[in-house]
Amino acid sequence: VVGTLANPLLSEPKEIQTSGGDWVAVNLTITYVSFSAHSDFTQTSEFISATRPRHVIHVHGGEEEMKRLARALAKQYSPKEVEFLTPQNCQPVQLRFPGEKIARVVGSLAEEEPSDGAPLEALLLLKENKYTLLAPADLHTATDLATTRLLQRPRFRFERPHAALLSAVGRIFEVGPPQPALLLAEEGGGGGGG
């Protein structure tokens, strides 16, 4: 299998690099025999039909053979039904499991029904595999947690007119009218940042 120490041995090299980075001499003859005690396409397809897994991960075999099998199996199933993955050796795989999440609505948020399409300001808490939805103001009464506000006032030197800074920041954030302190700093020749 590509990526394993055995794969480069098939070409019978005189030396090989170990996984620790050392080079060692090789004095052997390789005879390659293709053999598989694993299921074939038909058996694998029947197993998938019977079990209906959301994900099928091919982890053993040559890379091209695994990809060929995955492509052939994928033709039989909708991507919404089964996802076929053929990761390389040591490649992490992320699986997504769709499903409904049910949350209990508590506190002031539960007092009136929200209107369709209206934004909802709430916190979603997960404790012991149970979801709770509540208003931020109710956090301290419903849990041992507390909210706090954090005000950041970053300071930096900016050598151009404040209008250029506001324009650049305005492309990312909504910017309100300039504050008097910012205007005074610019008029004083400091460039608007102090």
Side-chain angles (χ1 to χ4, degrees), residues 9 13-18 22-28:
L9 288 173
K14 296 295 178 202
E15 61 179 6
I16 190 167
Q17 188 174 17
T18 66
D22 299 322
W23 287 92
V24 295
V26 176
N27 185 16
L28 55 90

Side-chain angles (χ1 to χ4, degrees), residues 102 126-131:
I102 298 174
L126 173 62
K127 183 177 181 183
E128 297 172 2
N129 291 322
K130 295 180 182 173
Y131 290 93

Side-chain angles (χ1 to χ4, degrees), residues 45-64:
S45 181
E46 288 171 359
F47 180 76
I48 293 169
S49 277
T51 59
R52 290 298 201 198
R54 177 67 189 100
H55 308 281
V56 174
I57 305 170
H58 299 272
V59 295
H60 186 73
E63 182 178 359
E64 285 308 311

Side-chain angles (χ1 to χ4, degrees), residues 2-90:
V2 175
T4 66
L5 185 59
N7 186 259
L9 288 173
L10 290 174
S11 63
E12 298 184 17
K14 296 295 178 202
E15 61 179 6
I16 190 167
Q17 188 174 17
T18 66
S19 57
D22 299 322
W23 287 92
V24 295
V26 176
N27 185 16
L28 55 90
T29 302
I30 301 291
T31 302
Y32 177 77
V33 177
S34 179
F35 170 78
S36 176
H38 302 287
S39 65
D40 61 11
F41 173 84
T42 303
Q43 292 167 323
T44 303
S45 181
E46 288 171 359
F47 180 76
I48 293 169
S49 277
T51 59
R52 290 298 201 198
R54 177 67 189 100
H55 308 281
V56 174
I57 305 170
H58 299 272
V59 295
H60 186 73
E63 182 178 359
E64 285 308 311
E65 289 81 8
M66 287 192 306
K67 286 182 179 180
R68 188 171 28 254
L69 178 59
R71 282 191 302 268
L73 289 167
K75 289 178 184 176
Q76 294 187 336
Y77 302 93
S78 160
K80 293 179 182 178
E81 290 180 295
V82 183
E83 178 183 19
F84 293 92
L85 302 161
T86 56
Q88 294 183 357
N89 290 337
C90 300

Side-chain angles (χ1 to χ4, degrees), residues 160-162 179-193:
R160 298 187 61 206
H162 82 275
Q179 300 297 312
L182 188 60
L183 295 174
L184 289 175
E186 184 178 272
E187 290 168 5

Side-chain angles (χ1 to χ4, degrees), residues 109-123:
L109 200 59
E111 291 173 3
E112 63 180 77
E113 190 173 332
S115 56
D116 284 345
L120 182 67
E121 184 177 349
L123 298 173

